[in-house]
Amino acid sequence: MFEYELQQSRSAELIRRAEHERLVREATRARRAARRAAAHDTAGAESHTRRSRRYRFARTA
């Protein structure tokens, strides 16, 4: 009987952990999408050239 209860407890813990990880992934996706949308909205207003701000090659010492 004790092994069964132990297995049930472990199963419930794994289910809780999986649900938590799903929520974390969902929140991360939502933040990333919001960041992309904000960057997309401001990119057109700020820049009027085709060239990006970053240099193509790293600076030399």
Side-chain angles (χ1 to χ4, degrees):
M1 189 68 181
F2 179 72
E3 288 90 10
Y4 177 76
E5 291 171 0
L6 197 62
Q7 189 272 335
Q8 290 294 100
S9 173
R10 179 155 168 72
S11 176
E13 175 60 30
L14 287 174
I15 290 169
R16 281 192 296 273
R17 187 181 298 176
E19 178 64 26
H20 181 269
E21 289 177 7
R22 273 192 294 272
L23 286 171
V24 168
R25 277 195 307 269
E26 184 180 331
T28 303
R29 276 192 208 116
R31 277 195 304 262
R32 194 176 296 142
R35 208 169 34 235
R36 261 192 226 125
H40 180 69
D41 292 343
T42 60
E46 287 181 2
S47 68
H48 57 278
T49 63
R50 292 183 185 171
R51 196 165 39 140
S52 67
R53 288 192 220 168
R54 287 197 232 169
Y55 293 110
R56 179 175 285 184
F57 302 106
R59 292 179 55 156
T60 57

